[in-house]
Amino acid sequence: VLAESIAPETPERAALDLFDRLRLRAPFAQACAALGFEGEEGWRVAGRIKVGLLTGAGIGKMETPAAEGARTAIGAKETTAPVEVAAGASPTAGEGAPVQRTANQSVALAPALWLDPDVRWLCGVHEAGGQFYLIRERYEELLWWLLMPELLRLAGEPAPGRAAVDELSRTVDAALAAAQAAGYRVAALQGTAKDETEPEVEPTEYVELSLEGGAEPEGGPLDDLEAESKTEP
């Protein structure tokens, strides 16, 4: 509502900007803790809200046709690297119109969003055997949270239709099927999977950090949850 009053023509992008400018992550996390979310789960909710604002504003959707084709054809050898997006950056007016998701659209994350620390943390991205993998259950939970605006809209209707909810469920199932087809490899979902004939180079290590007791880490509220260490090829 605040974003709509400030920028009625682009409220999604204004909401994303306000989330960062007003430092709303900590208040959301604390409010969730008061509602009964224990430990770091309140911070996870705040992170999901941030990812929801990113997708609502269309961040990561500004891709070339080649990149979009690479995302849908999981495992394709000829791919285009995703557009790099700074998760905390304010989008500019030239990046395109906000994305309005409908029930028949994919809820899967845009390839560029897999670069976002919140996305990687919430999906449990981890390294194994020189590849980065997501955790299916955490990814599914995030997908349903991204559908929260549609679910709330349906809940507000005088007579919510089951068909609309079933359609939302099918979008989640389709995204999970794509993740399974990709072997739950983040690189494949990004469309940056290497040709099997290329020499393997070990990627940097991603370490998931955990908060005990819901405490906020020093240096910023969950903004820098990715710790990297270089390894020899």
Side-chain angles (χ1 to χ4, degrees), residues 83-98:
V83 177
E84 293 190 6
V85 176
S90 301
T92 60
E95 288 181 330

Side-chain angles (χ1 to χ4, degrees), residues 147-157 168:
L147 288 174
M148 190 67 72
E150 284 84 350
L151 292 171
L152 291 174
R153 179 180 56 79
L154 291 173
E157 293 181 355
L168 292 177

Side-chain angles (χ1 to χ4, degrees), residues 26-210:
F28 273 126
Q30 294 162 5
C32 290
L35 291 173
F37 291 89
E38 299 181 356
E40 67 177 11
E41 190 57 30
W43 289 101
R44 289 186 179 277
V45 173
R48 295 183 190 113
I49 292 174
K50 174 63 178 291
V51 176
L53 293 174
L54 286 170
T55 59
I59 302 301
K61 291 291 185 180
M62 293 67 70
E63 304 170 4
T64 63
E68 182 66 18
R71 178 164 62 91
T72 55
I74 297 296
K77 293 184 177 180
E78 294 184 3
T79 61
T80 301
V83 177
E84 293 190 6
V85 176
S90 301
T92 60
E95 288 181 330
V99 174
Q100 297 288 346
R101 187 191 298 112
T102 58
N104 61 355
Q105 289 180 317
S106 172
V107 71
L109 294 172
L113 286 184
W114 287 105
L115 300 172
D116 182 76
D118 279 323
V119 170
R120 298 173 73 87
W121 177 55
L122 292 170
C123 293
V125 174
H126 58 284
E127 189 270 341
Q131 293 282 345
F132 287 95
Y133 296 89
L134 61 88
I135 297 177
R136 176 189 171 94
E137 292 77 13
R138 292 191 183 181
Y139 181 45
E140 182 177 10
E141 187 174 19
L142 176 60
L143 293 177
W144 276 109
W145 272 84
L146 294 180
L147 288 174
M148 190 67 72
E150 284 84 350
L151 292 171
L152 291 174
R153 179 180 56 79
L154 291 173
E157 293 181 355
R162 181 178 178 83
V165 177
D166 290 341
E167 183 64 25
L168 292 177
S169 182
R170 282 192 289 271
T171 64
V172 173
D173 290 341
L176 292 175
Q180 183 176 4
Y184 302 108
R185 293 180 301 141
V186 173
L189 293 173
Q190 285 181 293
T192 59
K194 293 184 178 180
D195 190 321
E196 294 181 355
T197 61
E198 294 183 7
E200 291 292 333
V201 177
E202 294 185 9
T204 55
E205 181 182 3
Y206 179 82
V207 180
E208 180 179 335
L209 302 182
S210 176

Side-chain angles (χ1 to χ4, degrees), residues 1-8 10-12 14-15 17-19 21-22 24:
V1 174
L2 179 61
E4 289 176 351
S5 67
I6 294 176
T10 56
E12 294 85 0
D17 186 55
L18 287 170
F19 185 92
R21 286 174 177 266
L22 300 181
L24 295 180

